[in-house]
Structure formats: C-alpha cells, structure tokens
C-alpha cells in the first residue's frame, strides 16, 4: 500500500497542475479578448498574438509569423488583412526580394498597445508586489521550463 501512495499523490498533483493550466488558458483567452476590444472593438482576439509579433519584431514576414505561431497561411492572411483594415499594420515590399512583403506596426498600433501594456504591467506588479524574490525567481524558472516543454508537444 505504501508503494501506491506516491503514485496516488503524483496523480493528484498531475490533476491539480492540469486544472491550473486550464485556468491559465481561460484567463489568457479572456485577456486576449479584452485586449482585442481595447485595441479596436472590431479586432478578432486571434489577431492579438499576430500583432504582438509584429510589434516585437518591428518588421516581419507572414511566413515568419506562421512558423513562430504555428498557424496556417490562410488564417494568418485573413488576420493580417483585418489588422491592415483597422490601421494597425502596414506592408512594405522587401528591398532585397520584391516578392516578399514585410509587416510593420503603425503608430496607432504602437500607441494603443503600449497604453494597454503599461496598464497591464502596473496591475500585474500590484498583485505580485508582496511576493518574495525567491518566489518570483521560482515562477520565472517554472514558466520557462513549462514553455519549453509545451513547445515540444
């Protein structure tokens, strides 16, 4: 019976970890919807990670986004078109290869994104301000490890 105890505890821990991950996914989806609405009420939430990549890179191709986000070209094309229609992204022909267009964030996208980001960071830091440095360090390590493991799924 003692041999079954560790597995039982392990099973309970796996169940708890899965539940926390499902909660995190739900919270993330809600945040994505909220951010999309804040950027423009007509923006689909699926476009948020696309815009985030464009903002991060400042100039990126659709192929690079497809590869990084692991999405298909047709879906990405529709999202980019929507971002363009809303004035959040522009295209620029690549000087080295005129068949390729680079996606760039507009000033409007930068302005709205950074306004949201500052507010989000302030709220997050307010909630975890009492956490110890060790707790924060542990969280960063675990999230990094989790992201690495999830990329391999």
């Amino acid at each position: 019976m003692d041999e079954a105890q560790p597995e039982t505890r392990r099973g309970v821990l796996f169940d708890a970890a899965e539940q926390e991950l499902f909660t995190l996914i739900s919270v993330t989806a809600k945040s994505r919807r909220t951010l999309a609405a804040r950027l423009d009420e007509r923006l689909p939430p699926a476009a948020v990670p696309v815009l985030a990549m464009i903002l991060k890179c400042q100039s990126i191709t659709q192929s690079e986004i497809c590869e990084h986000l692991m999405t298909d070209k047709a879906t990405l094309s529709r999202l980019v078109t929507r971002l363009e229609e809303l004035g959040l992204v522009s295209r620029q022909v690549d000087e080295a290869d005129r068949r390729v267009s680079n996606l760039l964030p507009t000033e409007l996208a930068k302005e709205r994104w950074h306004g949201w980001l500052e507010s989000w960071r302030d709220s997050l830091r307010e909630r975890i301000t009492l956490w110890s440095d060790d707790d924060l360090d542990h969280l960063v390590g675990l999230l990094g490890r989790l992201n690495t493991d999830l990329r391999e799924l």
Side-chain angles (χ1 to χ4, degrees):
M1 186 153 196
D2 287 346
E3 289 179 21
Q5 284 292 50
E7 277 194 67
T8 301
R9 170 130 170 83
R10 187 77 166 173
V12 168
L13 289 172
F14 277 141
D15 289 346
E18 288 170 359
Q19 186 57 51
E20 291 300 326
L21 282 172
F22 287 134
T23 300
L24 181 60
I25 290 167
S26 295
V27 168
T28 301
K30 180 182 178 223
S31 293
R32 189 179 291 176
R33 285 190 306 275
T34 301
L35 175 54
R38 183 169 177 178
L39 293 169
D40 189 296
E41 68 269 356
R42 299 165 294 170
L43 184 66
V48 170
V50 175
L51 182 58
M53 282 208 63
I54 295 167
L55 283 158
K56 178 181 177 188
C57 297
Q58 293 297 303
S59 178
I60 188 169
T61 65
Q62 283 189 207
S63 295
E64 291 168 327
I65 295 172
C66 281
E67 185 179 317
H68 186 78
L69 294 180
M70 296 177 278
T71 190
D72 65 280
K73 290 179 182 180
T75 299
L76 181 65
S77 181
R78 285 189 299 275
L79 294 172
V80 169
T81 297
R82 192 66 176 147
L83 287 165
E84 280 184 294
E85 291 169 352
L86 298 173
L88 299 171
V89 170
S90 65
R91 292 179 196 260
Q92 184 178 62
V93 175
D94 188 301
E95 292 298 321
D97 184 350
R98 305 217 30 98
R99 297 169 296 168
V100 176
S101 288
N102 294 303
L103 303 171
L104 299 97
T106 63
E107 288 305 313
L108 177 63
K110 292 175 188 178
E111 197 175 286
R112 290 184 181 175
W113 184 274
H114 292 296
W116 165 81
L117 187 58
E118 282 183 36
S119 171
W120 182 81
R121 280 183 173 158
D122 290 347
S123 295
L124 175 63
R125 289 178 184 189
E126 183 179 306
R127 285 165 177 77
I128 63 174
T129 192
L130 298 178
W131 290 28
S132 71
D133 288 353
D134 287 341
D135 284 347
L136 288 172
D137 190 47
H138 191 65
L139 174 65
V140 169
L142 289 174
L143 287 173
R145 186 171 161 194
L146 178 63
N147 283 327
T148 297
D149 288 346
L150 291 178
R151 280 187 190 103
E152 295 172 5
L153 286 179

